[in-house]
Amino acid sequence: MSRGEVLARPDGLPDWFEPLLTNVDQCRTEDFTTLRKPSGTGGRSSAVLVLLGEDEPGRPDLLILQRAATMRNHAGQPAFPGGATDPDDAHAPATALREAEEEVGLDPSSAEVLALLPDLWIPVSGFVVSPVLAWWRKPHPVHPLQPAEVAHVARLPISELADPANRIRVRHPSGWIGPAFQVQGLLVWGFTAGVIAALLNMAGWSRPWEPGRLVELPDAAAPVPAARGGAPDEVVP
């Protein structure tokens, strides 16, 4: 899918969601990445859950997990819950919700899927990722269920992600430069940061900032090809 698609606008949806949903219908792959999957390339199907909720009315936040430092791939890297599609998954939302349940104990019935963002191709791992936008209607405590894969779970306030003081750029050892966020002790970069930056713009949450600060990523942050069934999060220029 090369463009976004709104699937539902349920009753009770917070007002702050509407500008984002309106723009989802108009967004395309180019709003998230310059990369296009080459024709004839299948790619491995996967999905991530972009879950927005609020602890207090009018104060949205985003669920993020941090990969375990001992992982072979994405060690210590913040990411959306998600992973490769299983044969029994009916569609991308099923994959995203299943992975979130397995990784952090999310109750699938507490979240309502609202939209599909454009599919994004990640050449390093060969994944085609479907970001699934959802509303956390009934937030509840979550925590790592697989310590070997997930070290930490956080709800990052949108106000802090949009704060210019928390926005930087990072340079990957490959030479790639992209957006990043420093929030609550986490350095969010790569695929996850690219999606967040696009969502901030689409929702009208972005604030003017000067992208002057550049942080060098250590070689240890460089991803290696993901193992079968691994998380799809990689660098997306």
Side-chain angles (χ1 to χ4, degrees), residues 189-207:
W189 61 281
F191 172 90
T192 305
V195 172
I196 293 173
L199 290 178
L200 292 177
N201 290 335
M202 290 166 55
W205 294 330
S206 290
R207 295 164 54 188

Side-chain angles (χ1 to χ4, degrees), residues 5 15 47 50 74 94 103-104 160-161 163 178 181 205 227:
E5 178 185 1
D15 291 342
V50 183
H74 324 292
E103 291 180 325
V104 304
E160 294 186 27
L161 290 167
D163 187 341
F181 302 84
W205 294 330

Side-chain angles (χ1 to χ4, degrees), residues 135-231:
W135 171 35
W136 205 358
R137 180 190 282 272
K138 298 179 180 178
H140 61 84
V142 291
H143 61 277
L145 292 187
Q146 302 176 10
E149 296 185 9
V150 179
H152 178 63
V153 184
R155 295 177 64 177
L156 303 184
I158 293 298
S159 61
E160 294 186 27
L161 290 167
D163 187 341
N166 296 331
R167 301 195 65 171
I168 62 172
R169 295 178 302 151
V170 294
R171 179 158 48 208
H172 189 267
S174 67
W176 169 86
I177 295 176
F181 302 84
Q182 288 183 317
V183 178
Q184 297 187 4
L186 297 176
L187 173 62
V188 184
W189 61 281
F191 172 90
T192 305
V195 172
I196 293 173
L199 290 178
L200 292 177
N201 290 335
M202 290 166 55
W205 294 330
S206 290
R207 295 164 54 188
W209 67 290
E210 293 294 333
R213 192 153 56 108
L214 182 63
V215 173
E216 301 285 345
L217 289 170
D219 288 342
V224 296
R228 183 171 181 81

Side-chain angles (χ1 to χ4, degrees), residues 16-158:
W16 49 261
F17 243 122
E18 188 51 44
L20 178 55
L21 286 184
T22 297
N23 286 318
V24 163
D25 265 339
Q26 305 170 26
C27 74
R28 297 182 178 275
T29 299
E30 291 81 1
D31 296 319
F32 294 84
T33 177
T34 59
L35 295 176
R36 280 284 190 175
K37 183 168 69 72
S39 59
T41 301
R44 296 166 55 198
S45 177
S46 62
V48 296
L49 187 65
V50 183
L51 185 60
L52 290 162
E54 58 181 9
D55 266 340
E56 299 179 19
R59 299 184 64 180
D61 55 41
L62 180 64
L63 183 69
I64 293 289
L65 58 81
Q66 184 176 24
R67 299 289 173 194
T70 54
M71 285 189 68
R72 177 175 175 269
N73 302 292
H74 324 292
Q77 187 173 348
F80 299 117
T85 301
D86 277 356
D88 293 337
D89 292 338
H91 39 55
T95 298
L97 290 171
R98 175 185 56 75
E99 286 283 341
E101 182 178 14
E102 294 174 357
E103 291 180 325
V104 304
L106 178 78
D107 177 0
S109 68
S110 71
E112 294 200 32
V113 172
L114 304 180
L116 298 176
L117 302 179
D119 290 343
L120 304 175
W121 181 62
I122 303 179
V124 174
S125 61
F127 276 108
V128 175
V129 185
S130 298
V132 177
L133 182 65
W135 171 35
W136 205 358
R137 180 190 282 272
K138 298 179 180 178
H140 61 84
V142 291
H143 61 277
L145 292 187
Q146 302 176 10
E149 296 185 9
V150 179
H152 178 63
V153 184
R155 295 177 64 177
L156 303 184
I158 293 298

